[in-house]
């Protein structure tokens, strides 16, 4: 007998598979290849976080290394995106550094870009420390900053002083009002403020948003401040907009998550903003018509 929870998971998976590549590395690489054939780049992320099992951490590192080695074979221009807590930060900072070093060494050999994902605010300082340490060793390294956090303006200014490569996101974690903006209006306002700073003072950055108004403002800013940047969006979301941006000569990357831990990730994406429910539902409906 199917329980209510199982039924809900089944329904969620039908929608989630629009932005989750599947369970395996090959599933992720197939999605990356499809994106590349459409003129887009790929950023692959293995789902999972807060790992404390060394066996699980070792398996995650191995998979990222395999992905890095596979890009050339699959003829894909791709990057990876790593969460610090999936490679040992939940055990210790030393463990995380040791494991991230393995990934960076493999990326350096293959000339592959690495993004450092930002997690909840309790890890912001540690994540920026990791970035500062490894950016001096490997320039093809970027870091995500979250517009919903009140501290991000200062973090952005400090990181730009060392030439950091920034991915600007709205933020998907539930945070306290003391450290974050709570309303959509305030988050959007801060996002646009930070985005202007990027166009004025940054280079090689990413505008990671599905919000049409923000994307339009980025287009306008790019005319005033011509910079090397790209738009980043989830696999399967805003598929109608991506070709238009490419036609306008903008770089577009698909963020491609894969792995068995799709449910907590998907729930967080939906909870992140009410508008995401509409976007995800709309994208799913469009895919059923193809």
């Amino acid at each position: 007998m199917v329980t209510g929870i199982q039924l809900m998971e089944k329904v969620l998976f039908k929608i989630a598979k629009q932005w989750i590549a599947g369970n395996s590395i090959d599933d992720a690489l197939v999605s990356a290849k499809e994106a590349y054939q459409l003129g887009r780049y790929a950023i692959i992320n293995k789902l999972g976080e807060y790992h404390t099992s060394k066996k699980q951490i070792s398996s995650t590192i191995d998979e990222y290394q395999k992905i890095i080695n596979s890009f050339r074979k699959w003829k894909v221009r791709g990057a990876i995106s790593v969460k610090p807590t999936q490679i040992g930060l939940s055990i210790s900072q030393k463990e995380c550094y040791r494991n991230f070093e393995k990934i960076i060494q493999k990326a350096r050999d293959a000339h592959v870009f690495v993004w450092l994902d930002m997690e909840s605010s309790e890890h912001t300082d540690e994540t920026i420390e990791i970035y500062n340490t490894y950016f001096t060793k490997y320039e093809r390294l970027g870091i995500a900053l979250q517009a919903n956090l009140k501290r991000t303006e200062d973090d952005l200014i400090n990181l730009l002083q060392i030439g950091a490569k920034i991915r600007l996101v709205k933020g998907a974690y539930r945070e306290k009002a003391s450290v974050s903006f709570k309303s959509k209006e305030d988050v959007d306002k801060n996002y646009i403020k930070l985005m202007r700073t990027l166009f004025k003072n940054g280079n090689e950055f990413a505008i990671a948003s599905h919000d049409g108004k923000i994307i339009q403002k980025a287009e306008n800013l790019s005319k005033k401040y011509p910079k090397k940047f790209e738009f980043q969006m989830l696999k399967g979301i805003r598929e109608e907009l991506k070709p238009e941006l490419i036609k306008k000569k903008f770089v577009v990357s698909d963020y491609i998550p894969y792995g068995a831990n799709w449910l907590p990730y998907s729930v967080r994406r939906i909870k992140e903003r009410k508008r995401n429910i509409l976007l995800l539902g709309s994208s799913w409906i469009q895919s059923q018509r193809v």
Side-chain angles (χ1 to χ4, degrees):
M1 183 176 177
V2 178
T3 67
I5 292 174
Q6 289 173 324
L7 183 61
M8 184 181 294
E9 283 191 16
K10 191 174 180 180
V11 172
L12 270 175
F13 183 73
K14 284 186 178 181
I15 300 175
K17 69 181 182 180
Q18 295 303 308
W19 71 88
I20 305 294
N23 286 332
S24 71
I25 290 174
D26 279 2
D27 290 333
L29 289 167
V30 166
S31 288
K33 181 89 171 179
E34 290 171 352
Y36 196 60
Q37 288 171 342
L38 293 170
R40 309 196 293 252
Y41 299 153
I43 303 165
I44 296 179
N45 168 249
K46 178 174 170 56
L47 292 170
E49 53 200 309
Y50 295 102
H51 296 334
T52 54
S53 160
K54 290 199 174 184
K55 183 178 179 181
Q56 190 177 31
I57 290 167
S58 179
S59 174
T60 298
I61 294 161
D62 287 345
E63 290 200 30
Y64 277 126
Q65 290 177 323
K66 286 176 184 175
I67 292 166
I68 288 168
N69 284 336
S70 297
F71 281 136
R72 186 171 294 177
K73 176 185 173 184
W74 282 69
K75 297 180 180 177
V76 169
R77 182 164 178 178
I80 61 168
S81 195
V82 181
K83 287 180 171 62
T85 67
Q86 67 181 178
I87 57 167
L89 189 60
S90 294
I91 297 176
S92 70
Q93 201 166 30
K94 183 179 179 181
E95 181 75 14
C96 182
Y97 275 62
R98 185 172 66 84
N99 293 324
F100 197 51
E101 181 79 39
K102 295 176 184 177
I103 293 171
I104 291 297
Q105 285 177 354
K106 187 66 71 173
R108 185 188 293 116
D109 293 342
H111 306 288
V112 167
F113 198 95
V114 177
W115 285 102
L116 194 58
D117 268 349
M118 190 62 76
E119 301 178 78
S120 60
S121 60
E122 64 186 304
H123 299 301
T124 303
D125 284 329
E126 294 169 307
T127 304
I128 290 174
E129 284 177 25
I130 295 167
Y131 184 79
N132 286 336
T133 299
Y134 285 95
F135 186 57
T136 61
K137 302 177 181 180
Y138 188 58
E139 288 191 357
R140 292 178 64 76
L141 180 65
I143 183 171
L145 291 181
Q146 298 166 320
N148 68 328
L149 295 183
K150 294 176 181 178
R151 61 172 289 169
T152 298
E153 183 175 10
D154 289 336
D155 290 334
L156 178 60
I157 291 168
N158 291 334
L159 282 162
L160 287 179
Q161 287 176 354
I162 66 167
K165 298 169 174 64
I166 306 293
R167 172 205 286 157
L168 186 60
V169 303
K170 287 190 178 182
Y173 292 85
R174 189 177 294 277
E175 303 285 359
K176 295 177 182 176
S178 58
V179 300
S180 69
F181 300 105
K182 304 309 290 184
S183 72
K184 180 186 185 301
E185 291 73 21
D186 286 341
V187 174
D188 288 356
K189 183 179 177 181
N190 197 45
Y191 192 106
I192 291 167
K193 182 180 181 181
L194 298 171
M195 184 168 67
R196 285 199 182 100
T197 299
L198 275 173
F199 274 100
K200 288 178 181 179
N201 303 318
N203 199 30
E204 290 191 68
F205 55 88
I207 303 303
S209 176
H210 306 114
D211 189 319
K213 290 181 180 178
I214 284 175
I215 290 169
Q216 184 59 60
K217 284 184 182 295
E219 289 188 53
N220 295 339
L221 283 167
S222 72
K223 295 171 185 175
K224 187 174 181 180
Y225 306 101
K227 295 291 176 73
K228 184 178 180 181
F229 81 103
E230 64 182 52
F231 290 107
Q232 295 179 358
M233 301 179 215
L234 272 171
K235 165 194 173 328
I237 308 300
R238 299 309 305 264
E239 292 298 295
E240 81 292 349
L241 178 61
K242 292 171 184 175
E244 294 179 16
L245 292 170
I246 292 169
K247 197 176 291 185
K248 294 176 182 177
K249 308 299 182 186
F250 291 110
V251 176
V252 177
S253 288
D254 275 9
Y255 186 91
I256 302 171
Y258 80 97
N261 292 318
W262 64 269
L263 183 58
Y265 174 86
S266 300
V267 169
R268 190 166 68 237
R269 296 305 310 189
I270 291 172
K271 283 183 176 179
E272 178 188 354
R273 299 283 174 264
K274 289 180 181 178
R275 178 167 166 73
N276 280 356
I277 300 173
L278 298 176
L279 285 173
L280 298 173
S282 172
S283 296
W284 182 73
I285 290 168
Q286 287 178 19
S287 72
Q288 303 309 299
R289 292 173 176 168
V290 175

